[in-house]
Amino acid sequence: MSFLHHIQNRRSIYAIGKNLTQPPEQLNELIHAAIKHAPSSFNSQSSRAVTLFGESHHKLWEIVRSTLKNIVPEAAFAATSQKIDSFAAGYATVLFYEDQDVITGLQQNFPLYADNFPVWSEHSTAIAQFAVWTALAEIGVGASLQHYNPIIDEEVAQTFEIPANWKLRAQLVLGSIEAPAGEKTFMDDAQRFKTFH
């Protein structure tokens, strides 16, 4: 299948479960390879990842739940908690980080571009996330990208011994596809693209 097919096949899958045939070692190998080969500005390789399986995966989503319980109005919390249950029902979660020491070092070594390196870091993590997500879709693993940072950052860092210079950027929850994604709609191409000859 073509690369474009795999991009088209990658969708946000919210109905996920634990019924995967791939063992954690195989998933880790895929995740690491996708991030390792994802491009980054100045080949900075600033992306970092922490993969949580089993009890660690559940612990993350309980951190999210308890954090939100202190923020979300009580009347709305049942729906929020149900959403967290859907993520906890998955098989694993990949935490995507960016190493701020790498970015600071680039700013010092290339001062002309100093303002751009934080922006380019965001590009790097986005590419890494997309690479992992698409690679997972290629082997039939469903996933959805979540962003509970920065409200969970401190407790997650303490729980999983994350270096202080790593900045949490996203959480990719993954698992078996228990229901397909809904239909995806697209805006008119004329609103998005221009071509000149």
Side-chain angles (χ1 to χ4, degrees), residues 27-170:
L27 293 170
N28 250 347
E29 186 177 332
L30 180 147
I31 291 161
H32 296 175
I35 294 171
K36 183 176 180 178
H37 294 285
S40 58
S41 67
F42 287 62
N43 193 30
S44 62
Q45 301 174 50
S46 56
S47 294
R48 307 287 181 262
V50 176
T51 308
L52 306 174
F53 294 99
E55 186 55 39
S56 295
H57 163 75
H58 286 281
K59 192 176 290 184
L60 169 75
W61 293 107
E62 287 310 312
I63 289 171
V64 175
R65 191 192 315 273
S66 63
T67 302
L68 290 174
K69 191 170 177 63
N70 296 324
I71 299 170
V72 176
E74 189 174 344
F77 185 70
T80 297
S81 187
Q82 191 173 20
K83 186 176 183 183
I84 300 306
D85 287 341
S86 72
F87 301 142
Y91 187 79
T93 304
V94 184
L95 305 177
F96 287 90
Y97 287 87
E98 282 292 297
D99 189 333
Q100 301 305 293
D101 284 355
V102 171
I103 298 161
T104 301
L106 287 166
Q107 289 175 313
Q108 293 170 347
N109 291 330
F110 303 97
L112 188 63
Y113 304 111
D115 291 345
N116 290 323
F117 285 115
V119 177
W120 292 338
S121 166
E122 294 300 307
H123 297 173
S124 294
T125 189
I127 294 169
Q129 292 162 31
F130 180 72
V132 170
W133 199 352
T134 304
L136 288 169
E138 182 183 5
I139 62 169
V141 176
S144 72
L145 196 64
Q146 305 303 316
H147 299 89
Y148 288 98
N149 44 294
I151 61 172
I152 63 169
D153 292 16
E154 187 175 344
E155 189 171 354
V156 169
Q158 290 173 355
T159 302
F160 300 109
E161 301 178 2
I162 307 298
N165 51 298
W166 289 18
K167 184 177 182 180
L168 184 59
R169 305 316 299 137

